[in-house]
């Protein structure tokens, strides 16, 4: 044992000296010291290798950034890979005071309250952030924007990666919920989102809709609908534009995960579904429980959507507007050849398009196989009208055998697939707690080596989704894989019955997958993630002077020095232009009368990276974070007399404690 460890460390020392040759100070300590250190910590040679594979020296950088959804924490977490260190949490659907998100700052209130909010009285203060979608150019991540859907409410949040802040939350009409039906098209012309559980036809979120239990049980197929939504993206700002967006009405199956066609399949979209049985639930009404009712048939339907063609159908005016969005009705979608179905083994989860766009992998949790569809076969079957019939809504169903290119037996509970650059696929196995690596067909692998499992690694435990390095783009890099495990059970110190979830880092650069690190996730239920080369993301160090995060342009309310700071009063309103710099606010005394609305335009005039200040007002729920250069406005009403000490929440300088002022509210 000792000999093996010594050998491993000797090798590692050699490796480290090699690293040292390119500018860094090489290891000087003898192998004996390393051996002693490793032994004193009880590390095996494998551990030592893992440590070296994941260690990022102080001040060093990770090669990749993982954008992981935070589940019902409503946030997004940014994690460095391979070190698995948390770099940032971005609030999206949930208020977060450190970033001043949802505590009065204008940009954050606008985002959090949501655009096209059907019912502004409902101040939604949480969401279930589920599937991130990084913007792409030519099928590759471009590091501009990140979109994420809200499982609970069918919303999309847009994060600007220039400042890692959420700028827009869009309520998508006619959807009540969404799951994994989000992706960016390879050119980010659209971000797609589909409904999960169907909603009442033309669901009106603000007015509600008249419905009875009888309707629900007996008219389900008629009164419910799903929608595939193509949300148009403004190419300069990344903002979502509802006016130029459109929906395709779908049958009331439960549409689930989706992926974009790319390369040869550009212009198409693929969506999984389950519950094509249209089970309603309702044990007390003599109906099977949903999980049984939705699993009666052996097959559900893969939805194949030609969105490029849908654009010409829209140009021809063949749509109706419902709740503020253009909708192509189901009959039109069928008649115009926009929508086709293909049988897929029941209760599928992942639908994942291979890097060249030529294969589509579907895995059904209840079937141990991955089913691989060939896009060329799909096109041929559509052209030849090779249908086994239509569904009850008249949508053609392609013949299963005509469109399937291969099946691979993977193990129990295959769920989600990502790829590397060598024509290999990696599928999570939920029930087996493992990841299977397998081969795609031509042109990646010759026919006799295609669709075969070549490796498997155990994970801990209950893996949901997985992410490989840029593994859902046209530029997959095959270096790392993150297993997103729902359970950790015995992997970490016990912190109570609610255990952290567990991310595991797997090195996939060699022929054998190798588990190298655990990362406890104690801040949400991360669901899905995307991993991007870190240097593709180019966030600002500071804002240009006076820039508002809301517009990313110079604000009309920006000031450039304390000389411009001022208080302007008019009946019922006190408006302040406040200069913020180390270590004082100007003005530092603001007086108002009971009942006044106080508007404060804050400019952090600093241009030093990291010189962030805060502006917090006690008892007002006001907490604004101001990065260098930023101008942000906050409004609140003062309804009782008193003297309130506002202060800077960031330890910004040696005189940070002195960085405070007074809001004096005089009686009327
Ligand atoms: Cu500014 Cu503390």
């Amino acid at each position: 044992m000792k000999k093996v460890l010594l050998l491993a460390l000797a090798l590692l020392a050699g490796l480290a000296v090699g690293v040292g040759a390119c500018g860094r100070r090489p290891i000087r300590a003898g192998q004996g010291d390393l051996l002693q250190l490793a032994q004193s910590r009880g590390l095996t040679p494998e551990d030592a290798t893992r440590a070296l594979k994941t260690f990022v020296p102080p001040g060093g950088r990770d090669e990749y950034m993982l954008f992981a959804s935070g589940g019902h924490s409503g946030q997004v977490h940014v994690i460095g890979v391979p070190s698995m260190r948390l770099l940032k949490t971005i609030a999206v659907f949930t208020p977060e005071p450190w970033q001043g998100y949802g505590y009065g700052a204008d940009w954050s209130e606008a985002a959090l309250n949501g655009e096209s909010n059907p019912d502004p009285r409902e101040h939604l203060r949480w969401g279930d952030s589920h599937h991130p979608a990084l913007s792409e150019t030519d099928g590759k991540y471009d590091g501009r924007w990140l979109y994420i859907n809200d499982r609970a409410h069918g919303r999309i949040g847009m994060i600007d990666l220039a400042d890692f802040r959420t700028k827009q939350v869009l309520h998508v009409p006619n959807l009540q919920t969404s799951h994994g039906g989000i992706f960016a098209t390879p050119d980010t012309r659209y971000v797609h989102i589909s409904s999960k559980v169907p909603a009442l036809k033309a669901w009106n979120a603000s007015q509600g809709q008249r419905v009875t239990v009888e309707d629900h049980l007996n008219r389900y197929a008629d009164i419910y609908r799903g929608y595939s939504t193509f949300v148009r993206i403004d190419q300069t700002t990344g903002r979502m534009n509802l006016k130029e967006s459109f929906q395709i009405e779908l049958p009331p199956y439960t549409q689930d995960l989706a992926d974009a066609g790319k390369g040869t399949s550009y212009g198409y979209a693929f969506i999984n579904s389950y519950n094509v049985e249209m089970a309603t639930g309702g044990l007390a009404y003599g109906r099977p429980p949903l999980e049984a009712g939705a699993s009666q048939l052996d097959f559900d339907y893969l939805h194949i959507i030609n969105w490029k063609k849908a654009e010409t159908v829209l140009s021809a005016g063949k749509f109706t507007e419902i709740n503020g969005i253009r909708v192509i009705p189901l009959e039109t979608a069928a008649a115009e050849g926009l929508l086709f179905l293909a049988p897929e083994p029941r209760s599928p989860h992942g639908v994942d398009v291979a890097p060249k766009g030529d294969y589509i992998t579907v895995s059904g949790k209840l079937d141990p196989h991955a089913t691989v569809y060939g896009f060329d076969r799909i096109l041929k079957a559509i052209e030849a009208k090779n249908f086994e019939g239509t569904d009850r809504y008249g949508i053609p169903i392609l013949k299963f055998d005509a469109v399937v290119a291969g099946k691979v037996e993977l193990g129990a509970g295959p769920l989600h697939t990502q790829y590397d650059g060598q024509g290999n696929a990696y599928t999570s196995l939920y029930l087996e707690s493992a990841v299977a690596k397998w081969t795609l067909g031509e042109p990646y692998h010759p026919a006799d080596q295609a669709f075969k499992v070549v490796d498997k690694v155990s994970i801990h435990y209950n893996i949901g989704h997985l992410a490989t390095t840029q593994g859902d783009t046209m530029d997959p890099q095959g270096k790392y894989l993150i297993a997103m495990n729902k359970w950790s059970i015995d992997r970490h110190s016990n912190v109570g019955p609610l255990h952290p979830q567990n991310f595991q880092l797997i090195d996939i650069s060699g022929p054998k997958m190798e588990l190298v690190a655990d990362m406890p996730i104690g801040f949400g239920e991360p669901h899905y993630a995307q991993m991007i080369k870190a240097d593709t993301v180019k966030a600002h160090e500071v804002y240009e002077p006076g820039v508002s995060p809301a517009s990313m342009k110079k604000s009309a309310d920006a000031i450039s020095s304390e000389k411009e700071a001022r208080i302007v009063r008019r009946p019922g309103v006190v408006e302040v232009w406040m200069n913020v710099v180390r270590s004082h606010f100007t003005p530092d005394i603001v007086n108002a009368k009971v009942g006044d609305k106080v508007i404060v335009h804050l400019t952090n005039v600093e241009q030093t990276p990291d010189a962030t200040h805060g502006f917090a007002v006690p008892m007002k729920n006001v907490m604004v974070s101001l990065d260098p250069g930023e101008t942000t406005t906050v409004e609140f009403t003062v309804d009782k007399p008193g003297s309130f000490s506002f202060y800077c929440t960031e330890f910004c300088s040696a005189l940070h404690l002195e960085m405070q002022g007074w809001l004096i509210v005089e009686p009327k």
Side-chain angles (χ1 to χ4, degrees):
M1 176 66 204
K2 187 170 172 175
K3 206 169 177 182
V4 176
L5 183 54
L6 188 65
L7 193 70
L9 288 171
L11 280 169
L12 294 176
L15 190 82
V17 169
V19 169
C22 55
R24 300 175 64 87
R25 208 157 58 91
I27 290 178
R28 298 270 181 229
Q31 296 154 12
D33 296 341
L34 280 176
L35 181 64
Q36 211 171 27
L37 179 59
Q39 282 177 336
S40 74
R41 296 207 61 219
L43 300 179
T44 66
E46 292 76 26
D47 290 334
T49 309
R50 292 184 183 115
L52 285 193
K53 279 189 170 180
T54 56
F55 180 68
V56 172
R61 298 284 189 281
D62 279 297
E63 190 181 356
Y64 290 91
M65 258 184 214
L66 183 78
F67 288 90
S69 63
H72 43 282
S73 78
Q75 302 166 330
V76 168
H77 305 293
V78 189
I79 295 162
V81 178
S83 75
M84 304 306 283
R85 297 174 301 175
L86 179 66
L87 295 170
K88 194 170 216 175
T89 289
I90 307 166
V92 185
F93 301 114
T94 307
E96 199 291 316
W98 175 62
Q99 297 157 74
Y101 188 72
Y103 293 93
D106 54 357
W107 64 272
S108 74
E109 293 297 321
L112 199 53
N113 287 333
E115 218 164 276
S116 306
N117 185 350
D119 194 352
R121 291 164 306 172
E122 292 283 355
H123 285 286
L124 295 175
R125 281 297 177 265
W126 78 285
D128 191 354
S129 68
H130 247 245
H131 285 235
L134 284 161
S135 60
E136 295 183 12
T137 300
D138 299 330
K140 296 169 187 172
Y141 297 150
D142 55 27
R144 291 183 295 169
W145 312 301
L146 176 72
Y147 303 87
I148 188 146
N149 73 306
D150 171 7
R151 159 71 183 84
H153 305 106
R155 296 181 294 172
I156 306 181
M158 175 259 172
I159 297 159
D160 191 343
L161 294 181
D163 59 1
F164 279 55
R165 296 201 203 194
T166 301
K167 298 300 172 67
Q168 190 188 18
V169 172
L170 179 74
H171 290 254
V172 179
N174 305 320
L175 304 194
Q176 197 173 64
T177 59
S178 73
H179 183 217
I182 180 164
F183 58 75
T185 56
D187 46 10
T188 320
R189 180 174 173 82
Y190 297 103
V191 166
H192 175 270
I193 184 171
S194 44
S195 50
K196 181 180 165 63
V197 179
L200 292 172
K201 213 170 169 176
W203 166 246
N204 191 323
S206 62
Q207 303 301 314
Q209 246 152 286
R210 219 185 124 81
V211 65
T212 64
V213 173
E214 282 297 306
D215 294 335
H216 175 81
L217 292 174
N218 301 322
R219 299 175 52 227
Y220 187 95
D222 299 324
I223 63 173
Y224 285 93
R225 286 293 180 271
Y227 293 93
S228 161
T229 314
F230 290 83
V231 179
R232 188 66 175 269
I233 303 303
D234 181 302
Q235 293 305 303
T236 39
T237 63
R239 300 246 173 180
M240 300 172 274
N241 179 339
L242 204 55
K243 280 248 166 312
E244 292 180 41
S245 305
F246 69 93
Q247 288 181 320
I248 299 173
E249 191 184 25
L250 300 177
Y253 313 139
T254 299
Q255 281 81 22
D256 202 37
L257 270 67
D259 202 4
K262 53 196 169 201
T264 53
S265 53
Y266 176 81
Y268 282 79
F270 307 92
I271 314 176
N272 273 342
S273 69
Y274 63 92
N275 196 13
V276 300
E277 296 86 346
M278 296 184 276
T280 57
L283 261 181
Y285 300 90
R287 301 293 171 92
L290 196 75
E291 64 192 88
S295 310
Q296 289 167 38
L297 302 174
D298 287 335
F299 287 96
D300 288 300
Y301 294 130
L302 171 66
H303 295 41
I304 299 151
I305 292 177
N306 187 338
W307 63 259
K308 205 71 200 152
K309 198 169 177 186
E311 289 185 329
T312 61
V313 169
L314 289 168
S315 302
K318 296 175 188 168
F319 64 86
T320 50
E321 195 171 308
I322 308 175
N323 295 323
I325 188 168
R326 296 176 296 170
V327 178
I328 299 175
L330 201 41
E331 312 78 65
T332 310
E336 299 283 338
L338 306 182
L339 174 62
F340 297 90
L341 304 173
E344 52 185 0
R346 66 180 168 183
S347 296
H349 203 71
V351 53
D352 302 293
V353 179
K356 296 186 205 297
D358 42 4
Y359 291 108
I360 301 118
T361 302
V362 166
S363 20
K365 287 161 290 189
L366 303 179
D367 178 332
H369 299 86
T371 308
V372 188
Y373 298 77
F375 183 68
D376 52 344
R377 289 165 187 260
I378 290 176
L379 280 189
K380 253 183 234 159
I382 291 174
E383 267 166 43
K385 296 194 165 34
N386 198 354
F387 307 142
E388 62 174 51
T390 65
D391 74 349
R392 66 180 283 165
Y393 302 96
I395 312 296
I397 303 166
L398 304 173
K399 276 202 183 122
F400 184 71
D401 291 335
V403 292
V404 171
K407 292 193 87 173
V408 200
E409 184 164 349
L410 299 176
L415 203 149
H416 174 219
T417 300
Q418 294 231 312
Y419 303 92
D420 67 14
Q422 276 77 51
N424 300 304
Y426 301 80
T427 302
S428 55
L429 303 172
Y430 175 81
L431 295 173
E432 195 173 320
S433 282
V435 172
K437 174 181 176 181
W438 53 277
T439 54
L440 289 167
E442 304 268 9
Y444 308 96
H445 295 279
D448 63 327
Q449 286 165 40
F451 306 121
K452 287 194 166 57
V453 173
V454 291
D455 191 25
K456 222 177 220 192
V457 67
S458 292
I459 60 81
H460 316 84
Y461 304 90
N462 295 11
I463 180 171
H465 287 281
L466 49 73
T468 57
T469 33
Q470 308 193 153
D472 59 0
T473 71
M474 297 187 76
D475 184 27
Q477 307 204 329
K479 288 194 83 164
Y480 301 110
L481 182 154
I482 309 291
M484 281 164 265
N485 307 326
K486 302 299 173 189
W487 287 16
S488 64
I489 310 180
D490 53 3
R491 299 292 284 190
H492 305 291
S493 299
N494 184 9
V495 288
L498 178 61
H499 293 241
Q501 301 204 350
N502 200 27
F503 277 11
Q504 289 186 303
L505 175 69
I506 295 165
D507 178 353
I508 57 167
S509 60
K512 295 286 289 175
M513 292 182 282
E514 194 197 343
L515 175 63
V516 286
D518 273 26
M519 179 195 186
I521 303 284
F523 37 76
E525 194 247 335
H527 194 83
Y528 190 90
Q530 289 183 321
M531 200 169 0
I532 178 175
K533 203 86 164 40
D535 57 17
T536 309
V537 181
K538 294 183 171 63
H540 297 333
E541 284 281 356
V542 299
Y543 292 100
E544 299 271 314
V547 161
S548 155
S551 62
M552 292 304 260
K553 295 198 175 96
K554 183 155 182 162
S555 165
D557 291 308
I559 56 174
S560 53
S561 76
E562 52 200 56
K563 282 189 212 100
E564 295 172 32
R566 60 198 186 272
I567 303 178
V568 174
R569 283 165 228 286
R570 50 187 193 275
V573 177
V574 176
E575 191 163 7
V576 186
W577 282 262
M578 190 176 279
N579 191 73
V580 183
V581 73
R582 277 167 287 175
S583 302
H584 54 274
F585 297 102
T586 309
D588 63 349
I589 293 181
V590 175
N591 60 319
K593 293 253 191 282
V594 169
D596 279 351
K597 181 199 271 189
V598 179
I599 303 169
V600 189
H601 309 289
L602 298 137
T603 299
N604 177 349
V605 295
E606 311 235 16
Q607 284 287 294
T608 308
D610 227 354
T612 294
H613 298 286
F615 175 75
V617 186
M619 302 308 289
K620 284 284 131 209
N621 245 343
V622 167
M623 171 44 232
V624 179
S625 177
L626 296 154
D627 289 339
E630 173 178 347
T631 296
T632 279
T633 295
V634 60
E635 280 186 30
F636 53 96
T637 304
V638 287
D639 50 9
K640 48 182 134 354
S643 174
F644 302 89
S645 71
F646 59 83
Y647 76 107
C648 168
T649 44
E650 289 284 335
F651 205 131
C652 55
S653 71
L655 294 173
H656 149 72
L657 289 179
E658 287 78 357
M659 191 164 175
Q660 61 149 86
W662 299 96
L663 166 67
I664 296 173
V665 185
E666 299 162 347
K668 231 176 175 163

